[in-house]
Amino acid sequence: MTATTPSPHRRRMLLRGALVLSLAGIGIAATCGAQTQPTPAAHDATLWPQPEWPFGAEPELEARITALMAGMSVEDKVGQLIQGDIASLTPEDVRRYRLGSVLAGGNSDPGGRYDASPAQWLALADAFYEASMDTSTGGHGIPILFGIDAVHGQSNVVGATLFPHNIGLGATRDADLMRRIGEITAVETRVTGMEWTFAPTVAVPRDDRWGRTYEGYSEAPEVVASFSAAMVEGLQGEVGSEAFLDGRHVASSVKHFLGDGGTRNGIDQGDTQVDEATLVRIHNAGYPPALEAGAQIVMASFNSWNGVKTTGNRHLLTDVLKARMNFGGFVVSDWNGHGQIPGCSNERCPQAFNAGLDMAMAPDSWKGMYDSTVAAVRAGTIPMARIDDAVRRVLRVKLRLGLFEAGRPSQRPLGGDYDLLGSPAHRAVAREAVRKSLVLLKNQGGVLPLDPRRHVLVAGDGADDVGKQSGGWTLNWQGRGTRRADFPNADSIFEGIERQVEAAGGTATLAVDGTYEARPDVAVVVFGEDPYAEFQGDVPTLAYKPGDDADLELIRRFEADGIPVVAVFLSGRPLWVNREINAADAFVAAWLPGSEGAGVADVLLRDAQGRVQHDFQGRLSFSWPRTAVQFENNVGQPGYDPQFAFGYGLTYADDGDLAPLPESPGITGPLAAPGVYFARGRASGGFSMRLLAGDGAQPVTSLPAASGDGHLRIEGMDHEAQEDAWRMRWSGEAGVALVADEPLDLTREANGDVMLVLHARRGGDAVPLSLTAGCGEGCGGTVEMQPLLARMPAGTWTRIGVPLKCLVRAGLDVARVRVPMQLETAGPLDLALSRVALGTQGEAEQVLDCSAD
Ligand code: BGC
Ligand code: BGC
């Protein structure tokens, strides 16, 4: 380092000063996200139903619990009420702190591998069980409960049967099928050693912009109510029967209590603003049947009801759920959900226990939660009676599951029976579910069913992609970044069509981009949403892929060539696709079918003798929108005017002709995809790029651009399209900053493992480069990027990820982010950038490791 070069630290200060100055110059003031819990309105528990809890007095069970608890210290008791995540705790921790439960979150896997083997899962379950049973350090040998999101089959595990997501199941209207799906899910979950699933979701999604719409069965409370008991009984077995919670069944958690599907503007974890009677009538519909079926666990929701977080709402958890609705199981919180209650943090929340929470899902925060809860009990902040009640509720579930006598997960009846994962019998049920879930919206001139003896071209990026057809909560949280080999027991939609067509003597060709040499008789175009989960799937309108008409153009190309087109649409919600519907001859809403893509061929194709194999049976359980802004479009609402009404669904007996649909989306104003800050070489709406140099910050409105001192020169560069990237060359100290017009609240994102993903390309050497996310003067987090730059192969476009958690650790206040990305270096550096967006594991090829900092 020469004497004239300022130290990296001083350099950073200089530049940050420049940015703050410029922000002040354009009138940006730091706003503080202070929130207070509003005073709840008057509540009325008598508005709620009184389902019967199906367990009578169980004196033996209670006596056993009493005896057990007599010897338990405060620490032992609190331990039973804390659930940590396998990514953040070890069997050793369980042994030491005698925790009651572990979970595997969507991105948490044995050895950190999303494609871990079933045997690794089982070994992990054994290790946690053994740690819980170890009495050598004074523990009481209370078996651990291992919970997992087996939400459409045992969907975290390679080889498992993947059922359609709930939105597709809702279209079947078949409660008996739910029971069978529950049974199979339980069996496959037991094979890999867990005894608890975080399912079913009984949300009643009302605004389809919500990223979790597909986790709900229906917008109609009656449909949800007609499914919830069957699913719980399938998972747990029937109360009173020998099968109940035996080794072939798992404990079920009904979620998310309450109002998760009713949040304003469909914002995940948002606020449901309805009166109490509406909350009961719509959002509570699935709970009474589930409780009567004996659901052992209820998961409290992230969302608020009229401004009050439900996880801290004593009226809902205690007065309504436990007292009025007679729920005798236990309440678990959702992934640090307790931390969102005003006055709480992820590590401390006596309020939640006092409101009625029995177990805290404290994935990465379990240690703090444990310590602070012990302290709160000792201080009397949480009454001992409340703790005793919670422990009793947890122990009841463990006893009902027979865990004290069951032995290691691998020694239990199904432990390690890997042949059951994706077994032919299980897959047959999933395939039946796929067949029954397909909803036919249009069948012009009776183009369907197809003759398998002809030449069928199968196109579209959903045609041969099991990951895409399975959606979120598949092998990882977002369901992205998987490969064909991860799905040994599955058929893509193309594979199913190909098998049947070839058996019948026809030809099936796969051409994702739709090109062909031999002219096909018909084209099947499979397209739709790419996988997402939770808030990552929240969208601003119901427009399908705004700004990207590639799929529409594909359909139109076949039409122009005079080839009939059958559109198969994969989606987690109804979307505005009127143009695609108009362009295609037939249109099938296939939802997110899961591993059994072959179920699509069963309905689309005749058999070799020309007979219909299976007719369409699916009926919309969500109303289909007429415009992209018909967000809350639910049957029974005033002014209800959908494109396709709730219950719609053609069969082969119907006239499937459709007059052309209106092609105006009804959108006014710009539409930025949430979480995308810079794409195709341009800042998204609501964001701008600034060039930072010693003399201040200037907006970059056109390229090429350069700082006054010439330290940084930026020019356009071709990545995937012409000039869709910025090439930035540093020869001295300077920076670029991506600035948001309005502060961004990334609290939800930072709770998970969301990261800032930069699609970038390094030209020359990797030199020191700092990345800062800023939140106003004196607020921000800076990380050093040189190690990550060094891992990018020079000259190759690479997606690099900076976990939000790293930025938080470095000081960022995620509730008010003004500058999601500021890059500074003294160079020399040659760095190109085409996209800056939020993403998750699987989207980044190289991820910054800040664990050691
Ligand atoms: C989700 C729950 C899920 C839990 C555990 C949360 O973020 O909201 O539905 O069960 O994580 O993965
Ligand atoms: C999800 C978890 C997931 C995590 C990723 C949470 O919001 O619910 O299941 O594993 O984020 O960090």
Side-chain angles (χ1 to χ4, degrees):
M1 189 171 282
T2 64
T4 49
T5 316
S7 72
H9 175 70
R10 179 165 145 66
R11 199 160 62 218
R12 218 164 273 155
M13 296 313 291
L14 256 172
L15 289 166
R16 264 200 244 154
L19 179 64
V20 166
L21 228 161
S22 77
L23 293 181
I26 54 167
I28 295 174
T31 49
C32 186
Q35 33 152 218
T36 47
Q37 189 93 333
T39 326
H43 290 318
D44 185 357
T46 66
L47 292 171
W48 299 73
Q50 295 178 283
E52 197 178 319
W53 182 243
F55 302 90
E58 297 167 288
E60 266 175 50
L61 184 136
E62 299 301 333
R64 214 171 144 185
I65 296 174
T66 305
L68 204 57
M69 284 176 62
M72 287 169 77
S73 64
V74 170
E75 285 80 1
D76 292 332
K77 289 178 179 177
V78 168
Q80 286 300 306
L81 309 183
I82 305 289
Q83 179 185 55
D85 182 273
I86 60 164
S88 306
L89 96 177
T90 62
E92 199 39 51
D93 294 323
V94 167
R95 195 185 320 270
R96 169 139 179 233
Y97 297 98
R98 297 165 205 157
L99 300 187
S101 182
V102 286
L103 89 147
N107 278 340
S108 310
D109 309 274
R113 295 195 55 100
Y114 80 92
D115 57 353
S117 70
Q120 288 170 314
W121 280 104
L122 185 60
L124 188 74
D126 271 358
F128 279 115
Y129 168 82
E130 276 169 6
S132 72
M133 297 306 279
D134 186 350
T135 50
S136 66
T137 55
H140 296 272
I142 301 176
I144 197 150
L145 262 180
F146 192 155
I148 192 162
D149 291 284
V151 294
H152 64 136
Q154 168 58 318
S155 44
N156 275 286
V157 175
V158 169
T161 307
L162 301 171
F163 294 94
H165 270 295
N166 288 349
I167 193 168
L169 299 181
T172 71
R173 301 292 202 282
D174 187 339
D176 173 65
L177 179 61
M178 293 317 109
R179 188 182 317 272
R180 288 183 284 142
I181 291 174
E183 282 165 4
I184 294 169
T185 302
V187 164
E188 295 199 9
T189 302
R190 282 292 197 161
V191 167
T192 54
M194 299 97 203
E195 57 280 300
W196 174 11
T197 176
F198 304 131
T201 295
V202 296
V204 183
R206 302 293 279 180
D207 185 322
D208 299 346
R209 289 175 291 179
W210 188 35
R212 307 193 80 159
T213 300
Y214 68 83
E215 297 188 58
Y217 296 116
S218 177
E219 72 189 25
E222 308 75 49
V223 174
V224 176
S226 73
F227 274 17
S228 66
M231 186 52 91
V232 168
E233 269 184 14
L235 290 166
Q236 298 194 151
E238 206 177 316
V239 180
S241 76
E242 287 277 302
F244 182 67
L245 293 181
D246 70 1
R248 307 182 63 85
H249 292 89
V250 296
S252 151
S253 15
V254 203
K255 70 185 189 185
H256 309 82
F257 191 80
L258 187 67
D260 48 354
T263 55
R264 215 172 136 251
N265 297 330
I267 291 172
D268 190 41
Q269 308 185 9
D271 189 17
T272 296
Q273 302 175 350
V274 295
D275 63 23
E276 190 159 3
T278 309
L279 191 69
V280 174
R281 183 171 54 82
I282 295 179
H283 299 287
N284 189 52
Y287 290 89
L291 301 191
E292 292 199 329
Q296 294 295 295
I297 297 111
V298 168
M299 188 185 290
S301 192
F302 277 122
N303 70 274
S304 307
W305 171 42
N306 293 335
V308 181
K309 285 281 169 187
T310 64
T311 306
N313 189 324
R314 190 187 151 87
H315 172 67
L316 288 181
L317 299 187
T318 299
D319 303 346
V320 167
L321 181 62
K322 291 178 176 174
R324 174 79 180 180
M325 298 213 292
N326 300 312
F327 174 59
F330 71 82
V331 178
V332 68
S333 55
D334 199 347
W335 196 272
N336 282 330
H338 53 267
Q340 299 186 6
I341 299 167
C344 290
S345 69
N346 292 351
E347 284 77 25
R348 186 183 173 279
C349 193
Q351 291 92 318
F353 286 108
N354 285 337
L357 183 74
D358 300 304
M359 182 185 283
M361 185 187 288
D364 48 358
S365 48
W366 58 269
K367 178 66 170 52
M369 227 11 212
Y370 171 87
D371 288 338
S372 67
T373 306
V374 168
V377 177
R378 293 213 186 286
T381 318
I382 307 175
M384 199 60 215
R386 179 68 269 277
I387 290 296
D388 283 344
D389 170 54
V391 172
R392 194 167 274 277
R393 285 169 178 269
V394 170
L395 293 179
R396 275 188 199 125
V397 175
K398 294 187 173 185
L399 283 164
R400 289 194 182 118
L401 276 161
L403 293 183
F404 287 84
E405 292 76 35
R408 281 201 300 274
S410 62
Q411 296 169 326
R412 300 176 193 168
L414 301 175
D417 286 354
Y418 303 122
D419 289 349
L420 290 170
L421 292 174
S423 73
H426 293 178
R427 292 185 61 191
V429 173
R431 186 159 161 179
E432 172 188 343
V434 174
R435 286 196 296 264
K436 291 179 168 172
S437 69
L438 304 174
V439 180
L440 181 61
L441 299 182
K442 174 182 180 180
N443 190 16
Q444 205 78 13
V447 59
L448 287 173
L450 302 176
D451 184 343
R453 294 162 298 194
R454 312 292 294 274
H455 177 201
V456 182
L457 183 78
V458 188
D461 67 2
D464 195 31
D465 188 338
V466 179
K468 177 157 173 150
Q469 77 196 26
S470 299
W473 299 108
T474 301
L475 298 188
N476 61 51
W477 181 36
Q478 296 293 320
R480 290 194 286 247
T482 56
R483 303 156 305 161
R484 181 65 185 90
D486 299 328
F487 303 101
N489 302 318
D491 283 313
S492 72
I493 293 173
F494 168 69
E495 288 163 342
I497 293 176
E498 181 187 40
R499 230 183 6 252
Q500 294 187 24
V501 166
E502 308 230 305
T507 16
T509 322
L510 174 70
V512 169
D513 65 2
T515 53
Y516 56 87
E517 274 162 28
R519 184 185 168 84
D521 297 306
V522 64
V524 177
V525 177
V526 189
F527 66 108
E529 289 188 296
D530 294 312
Y532 53 80
E534 299 190 45
F535 47 83
Q536 294 263 329
D538 287 358
V539 287
T541 76
L542 298 180
Y544 169 62
K545 292 201 177 160
D548 174 0
D549 283 349
D551 296 314
L552 177 63
E553 283 157 17
L554 179 60
I555 297 172
R556 284 185 176 160
R557 248 194 294 139
F558 290 117
E559 288 295 300
D561 291 353
I563 297 164
V565 179
V566 175
V568 176
F569 187 53
L570 301 171
S571 73
R573 56 192 141 210
L575 287 172
W576 186 77
V577 280
N578 280 4
R579 297 176 309 158
E580 289 80 357
I581 295 174
N582 285 343
D585 296 277
F587 197 98
V588 179
W591 316 111
L592 299 168
S595 59
E596 304 317 307
V600 175
D602 292 344
V603 183
L604 259 48
L605 300 175
R606 295 178 184 274
D607 69 11
Q609 282 70 46
R611 291 170 302 216
V612 167
Q613 304 186 72
H614 296 273
D615 200 347
F616 280 91
Q617 297 179 50
R619 302 280 171 271
L620 290 180
S621 62
F622 285 82
S623 307
W624 203 278
R626 181 178 292 282
T627 68
V629 294
Q630 213 176 39
F631 307 131
E632 277 198 71
N633 177 38
N634 302 302
V635 61
Q637 274 175 348
Y640 181 62
D641 180 30
Q643 190 67 64
F644 300 104
F646 175 84
Y648 180 89
L650 298 166
T651 69
Y652 286 143
D654 296 317
D655 171 4
D657 286 3
L658 217 60
L661 308 177
E663 295 208 346
S664 162
I667 299 171
T668 48
L671 280 184
V676 180
Y677 305 140
F678 180 82
R680 299 177 195 189
R682 292 177 60 179
S684 304
F687 293 85
S688 56
M689 271 286 208
R690 314 275 166 100
L691 208 157
L692 313 177
D695 52 352
Q698 63 193 74
V700 182
T701 46
S702 63
L703 297 184
S707 60
D709 54 15
H711 284 176
L712 173 56
R713 297 180 186 282
I714 308 175
E715 61 193 35
M717 178 181 182
D718 296 353
H719 171 208
E720 283 161 341
Q722 203 182 346
E723 304 242 326
D724 65 343
W726 283 21
R727 183 162 188 189
M728 302 177 284
R729 274 183 269 211
W730 275 269
S731 58
E733 64 181 51
V736 283
L738 188 56
V739 181
D741 294 349
E742 297 291 333
L744 308 166
D745 181 355
L746 302 181
T747 316
R748 296 177 305 173
E749 287 76 0
N751 181 23
D753 61 1
V754 173
M755 50 188 123
L756 193 64
V757 180
L758 278 54
H759 204 175
R761 175 188 170 280
R762 170 169 63 82
D765 289 342
V767 299
L769 170 75
S770 67
L771 183 150
T772 302
C775 35
E777 199 170 347
C779 175
T782 300
V783 294
E784 179 49 51
M785 298 288 281
Q786 189 177 20
L788 202 54
L789 286 185
R791 299 212 312 265
M792 298 169 70
T796 307
W797 282 95
T798 310
R799 289 190 182 81
I800 53 175
V802 178
L804 292 181
K805 281 190 176 149
C806 294
L807 295 164
V808 172
R809 212 165 293 165
L812 175 68
D813 177 352
V814 275
R816 47 186 181 108
V817 178
R818 286 312 300 269
V819 182
M821 181 203 76
Q822 177 171 334
L823 296 171
E824 295 155 75
T825 176
L829 179 65
D830 171 2
L831 188 73
L833 200 61
S834 71
R835 187 179 155 94
V836 180
L838 297 181
T840 51
Q841 174 190 297
E843 277 159 276
E845 292 145 300
Q846 299 289 344
V847 177
L848 183 80
D849 178 7
C850 64
S851 52
D853 296 6

